[in-house]
Amino acid sequence: MIEQYVWDLQEVDETKVAVVGGKGAHLGGLSRIEGIRVPGGFCVTTDAFRRIMAKAPSIDDRLDQLSRLSPDDREAIRTLSAQIRRTIEGIALPGDLAAAITRALSQSGEQAAYAVRSSATAEDLPTASFAGQQDTYLNVVGPAAILQHVSRCWASLFTERAVTYRQRNGIDHRTVHMAVVVQQMVFPQAAGILFTADPVTGNRKVATVDAGFGLGEALVSGLVNPDVFTVRHGEVVAKAIAAKQRAVHALPAGGTQEVAIDAQRQQQPTLTDAQVVRLVQLGRRIEAHFGRPQDIEWCLVDEGFQIVQSRPITTLFPIPETGDRENHVYVSVGHGQMMTDPMKPLGLSMWQLTAMVPMHEAGGRLFVDVTRRLASPASRDGLLEAMGKGDPLIRHALETVLDRDDFVPSLPDAGPGGPPAGGAPAPIETDPALVTELLERSQASIAALERDIRTKTGPALFDFLLEAFEEHKRVLRDPLSMQAIMAGMEATWWLNDKLREWLGEKNVADTLTLSAPDNITSEMGLALLDVADVIRPHSEVVAFLQGVEDEGFLDELTKLAGGTEARDAIEAYLDRYGMRCVGEIDITRPRWRERPSTLVPVILDNVRNFEPGAAERRFEQGRQKAQKKERDVLSRLRALPDGDRKADEVKGMIDRVRTFIGYREYPKYGIISRYFVYKQALLAEAERLVQANVLPEKEDAFYLTFRELHDVVRSHQVDDQLIEQRKDAFRSYHALTPPRVLTSDGEALTGAYRRDDVPAGALVGVPVSAGTIEGRARVILDMSEADLEAGDILVTAFTDPSWSPLFVGIAGLVTEVGGLMTHGAVIAREYGLPAVVGVEQATRLIRDGQRIRVHGTDGYVEILP
């Protein structure tokens, strides 16, 4: 039927993406909104595109070749995509299809001017806008030219940039089809873009308008700088008027050209304030219709606005759902836990169920609502102090919000303040037996969990786990555990403050805590050196490990000379530390026990870079260095006025910090140990669902929350579409950068360092481990791809405890996320590595292989020539 190839814009809406593509569907939806004017036109449907593609079987082979290419193989993509485009443009339109398009044109006037615009089915989506990936042709006149440009639009599905974009977003080329929008051309006095949320800060209460004279093509192509208007609460609150020297205008016979703007008009505003406000009101109406912030292309024609496109703004970080209209301030959990990657739904819900405070999900990350604590003067100071010690950027971001007097209401002091932040040490004795008792309590609790969970399956397992989560939280709330953690941290702060005051020396505690006892995370790094000692003498084992590609290698080892000893050493390591992995707060991440090949590159680095006995030597060297520093500090203090008293106080604090600081790492080890027990039980349940043909794969369970998985186990029914939607959403979350602080207006605040004591051009961060080191930067985002040499400086986004095996082989550390007492900082001090954390965009600003100098005492990094 002829009708299937052409639909009028008035006939379509957002439900017709498969028929008319994203742009066509959105334009149809726009045309139905009261008060919104959209230039008339029609869509050539995806059925027409499929019919054309079917005429060229050779395209299938080329699509197969494309699918096998890496997104980075630009030359091969360029060649193949050009071949596909030439093939499509060379196919003659069938007579009935050409007649359908020509008939639609005749209703508006065949010689009228049109915009011919690509409209792909994977376009203008909530998670991927595809902006600028396909082609648009303006001011096309006459049926022959329009038919030719329809073919060009089809072909533009395979521009190099569109192909690369799909490959990077994991979208199969065969699943995307192209419709074409043929729309009456408008000849505007001005045109531009309206963002109904601030695209930089994310604030949903702020709209920005970019405007220029003539067609919007001048702005999109970067030919001119736009006028920029900022609108909040219905009024223009800021504007920047650009010198607009050029514009793009339509030619009478078709096509466009650049024209110069009269000198006296160049500095004139494109729009009046009243027009800007009216445009934003239209934008709010469009935003309400589509249910999310929009990126809108508009034209001003005869004093009225026409809308030529609207798409979701996909770069905005989502806002946690609250169900109220109150103001909220959220702090990122991931920045405190050293894991800013998105988490899968099961991981999110498990952390929420076992956390000590309520947590809110947005963009695959977790946030804590701190609004009430900021509103109360008593709790505010404690919160800011604690946040500042953890991450100064979070403190500054919170202070930025507080500076806006109207956002956080001031409430009377109704509850307890924040955690103690300095001052008097926690009221427990400096007694190593207390730490021993805490370790034994934790181990006993985990052993009981492992014993009791063995017999639990089906719905009974989930009931048991809900009880286990209460025990989990009881262990975390153990008052003695909290006192021990605070005792070590407060003793560190006290020593640094007092010794700077009395001796003029910064961060002395960094040296005094070297090789502190009972630090499970630093022991984990040293233990992998011992594994390397077992493997190093056996050249056949070393050669075998260099070629490991799958997880069956441990069984293969026993066939080699020395392989049994190597396997036993690795197995023993996994028995103690196999529950760990990068991003370990997400229960769905593969653990070392599940993917032991992750450790192989680190083991091989240790074999190559160290001599036998390195673990014991390293620990002893650190201990002796700490003892030497202690003697030096006490000697210098005794020479001061009132020196004996000062020395006695400092000696007491040194003993206290060495007693308790190692325990700081143990509660996380206990949490992750429990998590692995939970995970094994849940995966066994998921495997039973696979056997019962309820789930296609057991890992599909990761895309359900704990309660949803419980329901599936009870009912043996699952919503397959929900799982697919969750997979798509999870993929899209990787493109989002989580903010340290987020408001309910959607504003993402990263904070800033208020420092004037660093050299020009230096990268500023938090000083967490003293010393200065110069060396080669190794920018590593995946621990399994580590390839380190002695003297290298590790530069990465974040480090949780699982990264500590790398710390034994590096000379310094730089991370984008972190604070004074986060795990990476604690282990850097433990190993005596100069370290600066919280360096914004360090992995982008520092190139792999560059020489850098890390100032761990003063908190900055220099990139060397």
Side-chain angles (χ1 to χ4, degrees), residues 461-477:
L461 168 67
F462 289 83
D463 295 337
F464 171 82
L465 283 173
L466 288 171
E467 293 176 17
F469 298 161
E470 293 309 306
E471 166 66 5
H472 182 122
K473 288 189 273 194
R474 189 197 65 74
V475 171
L476 286 180
R477 271 193 296 259

Side-chain angles (χ1 to χ4, degrees), residues 115 123 188 208 223 226 251 309 318 347 362 405 413 526 626 723 851:
E123 179 177 276
T208 64
L223 180 65
L251 293 169
Q309 185 153 327
D405 296 334
D413 295 332
L526 296 174
I723 289 176
R851 288 196 69 75

